[in-house]
Amino acid sequence: MRRRTTEEGHGLMRITLVQGDITTQDVDAVVNAANSSLLGGGGVDGAIHRRGGPAILAECRHLRASHYDRGLPTGQAVATTAGDLPARWVIHTVGPVHSSAEDRTHLLASCYRESLRVADELGATSIAFPAVSAGVYGWPMGDAARTAVDTVWATPTQVTDVRFVLFTPDAYAAFENALDTTGS
């Protein structure tokens, strides 16, 4: 595990890298790399829904019926209970599918900014992020890591404990490199 602390003018923020399972993180909010349906899927999304239990799906169904009948738009974020997870909330965000024909980096960055905005609204001070869009959505891991780290450092927030929880050694190495080369 690696730690780095910085003062960014909006408070003291610590970023920690963890190689492991995001569903085991004892934080205020866990970020789910959701699909737009909010009804579960594979990867991180499936793991959070399985481990968190039916309460998460019930709230997601309510959100679909009341606010997001066409699904949660890419780059936005919304919170639900964390169910049986050790966290208090799950913040669901829909990352963009990578495209070599169109630069969608602004949408990927929006996932992190919007998740931090929702965390602030909830009063969360600790948050765990996965590598949004770097799985089945095909975003190159190195670029996904740089976008994530740079966006989190640059976003004013009351969150003081940010964890990037990476499932594989390659993902961990990419985020470690992004921390080493960030402008902070």
Side-chain angles (χ1 to χ4, degrees):
M1 191 162 55
R2 181 184 171 118
R3 292 184 186 270
R4 180 180 287 187
T5 305
T6 189
E7 184 84 30
E8 287 295 316
H10 52 75
L12 188 64
M13 179 192 292
R14 179 180 66 230
I15 290 183
T16 304
L17 301 181
V18 178
Q19 186 181 334
D21 181 350
I22 198 166
T23 68
T24 65
Q25 296 300 302
D26 188 6
V27 290
D28 292 332
V30 168
V31 175
N32 180 17
N35 62 51
S36 64
S37 78
L38 295 175
L39 302 179
V44 170
D45 193 16
I48 286 173
H49 275 270
R50 280 189 303 277
R51 175 106 188 234
I56 297 172
L57 183 57
E59 283 194 26
C60 285
R61 284 188 174 137
H62 175 73
L63 285 168
R64 281 299 304 270
S66 61
H67 295 92
Y68 300 103
D69 61 328
R70 296 173 64 185
L72 183 66
T74 301
Q76 292 191 16
V78 65
T80 65
T81 181
D84 296 330
L85 296 174
R88 295 177 62 191
W89 301 285
V90 173
I91 298 173
H92 306 267
T93 191
V94 180
V97 174
H98 183 263
S99 169
S100 56
E102 176 186 357
D103 184 6
R104 298 176 179 168
T105 305
H106 67 285
L107 291 170
L108 181 58
S110 180
C111 291
Y112 292 97
R113 277 193 305 274
E114 286 295 301
S115 294
L116 289 169
R117 179 190 60 76
V118 170
D120 285 343
E121 288 176 358
L122 295 169
T125 59
S126 58
I127 192 168
F129 284 104
V132 177
S133 288
V136 298
Y137 285 8
W139 209 281
M141 188 60 74
D143 191 51
R146 279 187 302 280
T147 300
V149 169
D150 290 348
T151 302
V152 167
W153 280 135
T155 301
T157 182
Q158 297 304 306
V159 175
T160 57
D161 177 7
V162 174
R163 298 179 198 173
F164 289 105
V165 183
L166 300 315
F167 197 66
T168 67
D170 289 346
Y172 184 93
F175 274 76
E176 190 170 42
N177 185 58
L179 277 176
D180 287 342
T181 59
T182 191
S184 63

